[in-house]
Amino acid sequence: MAEENQSGQERTEEPTPKKRREAREKGQVPRSRELSTTMVMLAAAAGLFLFGNHMGEGLLGVIDSSFRFDQGVAFDPMAPVRMLQFAIGRGLLIIAPFALLMLLVAICTPALLGGWSFSVEALQPKLEKMNPLKGLQRMFSLKALVELVKALAKVAVVGAIGALILASFKEDFQALTGVSLETGIGLGISLFFRAFVMLSAALLVVVAIDVPYQLWDHTKKLRMSKQEVKEELKETEGKPEVKGRIRQLQQQLASGRMMEQVPQADVVVTNPRHYAVALKYDQLKPGAPRVVAKGTELIAARIRELAQDNKVPLFEAAPLARALYYTTDLDQEIPGGLYLAVAQVLAYVYQLRSAPASDRPQRPQPAVPPEFMQYMNQGMRTDP
């Protein structure tokens, strides 16, 4: 049965990346104590294998030197202190590589599951943790039961492996009684090391079960209800009314900048009333004519008004106006299929500027290629 949140809704949805990120900021990351314990034990076994002889010989040397001293030293009251200081310092240097290895493993192991996480919030004291009723609930919760089962399983696995080790090393243990002290110590250390490695490796079975469970349990705790997912989506992307207002403001800003380009246009192609596209062609630069402003309805009316106020020619050509509007974005060059039609319009406009009023050029009828005729049916309204 799915868990419920405080509002009574079932938490059936997987946690979102934002939910996981917030949980990490609070110090809520998956952790496995079994993984940390096993890795430390395996590191200890590796450390004993690498540094065991060095540490053993070094510590025996420290002990030997501590009990060998001149007769005059026996009458010096500060000699024992100096010898103790030397023994401690020498001993620390001898075990330093092993201790450093253990420290690195203990620090780095948590990063294997969930990564490193430091949260001030997790360090803050919480009064609810001091509540006896909450403590009883934790003691008899499902998590406590799982921890109990894990502990019993770990004891069973380690105990079984230990019994097998004792059985397999039975003859070796019996052989220790018939050897000298030095040989016995060496054999005993070897048997201890082999048993320690086998016991540490046995814990990998517990880790293989505990790690997937911790990942599943962590994800389960972070699950969300459908309403929580919707609320997060609104917070992330913004509420619809806010997004609509932002979009409106952006359109207003873009429209304002666009209108500033209309007075510099060479011609405005119209539909005649519902579409208007302003074109600009710089003969000194390479490239085709560009669309510097376009719009429909009220925006188209504003473009025509600005064009008339700044003496920019208006050219009525419904198919061409619609084709330009739907195929070309602002400040982009017109498509190649419309080059000829736009060239006829611009040539006519340039002739109007230079020709006397009594000798007006003949108005062209720019033809739009068939592939652009589909745009004649777009839009909610058509021109008469």
Side-chain angles (χ1 to χ4, degrees):
M1 181 177 179
E3 293 186 357
E4 297 181 353
N5 59 10
Q6 295 179 352
S7 61
Q9 297 179 338
E10 292 186 349
R11 297 190 295 180
T12 58
E13 306 302 312
E14 292 296 313
T16 61
K18 182 175 180 292
K19 179 75 171 181
R20 293 183 181 274
R21 184 171 60 254
E22 290 177 348
R24 174 174 288 276
E25 292 174 355
K26 296 177 181 179
Q28 300 175 3
V29 293
R31 286 287 183 259
S32 173
R33 287 182 293 180
E34 312 306 330
L35 175 62
S36 300
T37 301
T38 302
M39 293 301 296
V40 169
M41 292 185 65
L42 290 174
L48 290 175
F49 176 78
L50 294 173
F51 310 115
N53 291 335
H54 170 72
M55 288 191 299
E57 294 175 357
L59 293 176
L60 286 175
V62 171
I63 295 174
D64 182 70
S65 63
S66 298
F67 289 94
R68 294 176 181 270
F69 50 86
D70 297 332
Q71 183 178 2
V73 176
F75 299 97
D76 184 359
M78 297 301 299
V81 177
R82 292 194 298 270
M83 294 175 64
L84 179 61
Q85 291 176 344
F86 172 79
I88 293 175
R90 183 62 179 169
L92 291 176
L93 289 176
I94 292 172
I95 66 173
F98 178 80
L100 181 60
L101 173 64
M102 299 298 295
L103 178 63
L104 291 175
V105 172
I107 294 176
C108 296
T109 298
L112 298 177
L113 186 65
W116 281 306
S117 176
F118 179 79
S119 174
V120 178
E121 183 175 347
L123 299 177
Q124 296 177 354
K126 296 182 179 180
L127 295 178
E128 62 180 14
K129 293 184 177 180
M130 303 176 63
N131 189 339
L133 295 178
K134 293 287 185 180
L136 290 174
Q137 290 178 359
R138 288 193 295 269
M139 289 176 59
F140 296 99
S141 64
L142 176 61
K143 183 176 181 180
L145 178 61
V146 171
E147 293 296 329
L148 176 61
V149 172
K150 286 196 309 180
L152 294 176
K154 183 164 60 174
V155 171
V157 170
V158 175
I161 297 297
L164 291 175
I165 292 173
L166 289 176
S168 61
F169 292 166
K170 180 179 179 181
E171 296 181 358
D172 294 324
F173 285 124
Q174 292 176 348
L176 292 176
T177 60
V179 299
S180 63
L181 179 60
E182 291 188 8
T183 304
I185 292 175
L187 291 176
I189 294 176
S190 176
L191 289 174
F192 168 78
F193 175 74
R194 290 160 60 188
F196 183 73
V197 172
M198 295 177 68
L199 286 173
S200 301
L203 291 177
L204 291 174
V205 178
V206 180
V207 172
I209 299 174
D210 183 61
V211 169
Y213 169 76
Q214 294 297 338
L215 292 172
W216 172 83
D217 184 62
H218 178 70
T219 302
K220 180 182 177 183
K221 292 177 181 178
L222 297 181
R223 282 179 182 169
M224 309 166 65
S225 65
K226 295 182 181 296
Q227 184 62 31
E228 289 174 336
V229 174
K230 292 180 181 178
E231 291 296 330
E232 182 181 297
L233 186 61
K234 286 183 179 180
E235 293 177 1
T236 304
E237 298 185 356
K239 295 183 178 180
E241 55 271 19
V242 177
K243 292 174 61 178
R245 178 58 178 166
I246 293 175
R247 190 181 301 111
Q248 181 182 1
L249 293 174
Q250 291 175 340
Q251 291 175 351
Q252 291 177 357
L253 291 174
S255 178
R257 290 192 297 268
M258 179 180 68
M259 293 304 178
E260 294 176 356
Q261 302 296 321
V262 175
Q264 284 77 41
D266 292 316
V267 64
V268 174
V269 183
T270 66
N271 194 35
R273 291 187 294 112
H274 303 310
Y275 289 81
V277 180
L279 300 176
K280 175 69 176 178
Y281 178 54
D282 192 342
Q283 302 181 28
L284 301 179
K285 296 181 180 180
R290 295 180 297 106
V291 172
V292 295
K294 68 175 184 176
T296 62
E297 306 300 340
L298 294 178
I299 296 179
R302 180 58 179 162
I303 292 175
R304 292 195 303 271
E305 181 181 349
L306 285 174
Q308 291 173 349
D309 292 343
N310 292 274
K311 298 182 180 180
V312 177
L314 299 178
F315 189 91
E316 180 181 336
L320 180 58
R322 285 176 174 265
L324 289 170
Y325 179 85
Y326 286 110
T327 61
T328 312
D329 292 331
L330 286 176
D331 204 33
Q332 286 190 350
E333 295 182 357
I334 64 174
L338 298 178
Y339 281 179
L340 179 58
V342 172
Q344 293 175 349
V345 174
L346 290 175
Y348 171 71
V349 170
Y350 295 152
Q351 290 176 6
L352 280 178
R353 292 175 180 174
S354 59
S358 59
D359 188 18
R360 296 179 64 86
Q362 184 177 0
R363 187 181 187 280
Q365 299 294 329
V368 175
E371 62 267 23
F372 293 94
M373 295 303 295
Q374 57 179 316
Y375 302 109
M376 287 297 296
N377 298 324
Q378 294 196 26
M380 298 299 298
R381 301 177 58 181
T382 57
D383 291 306

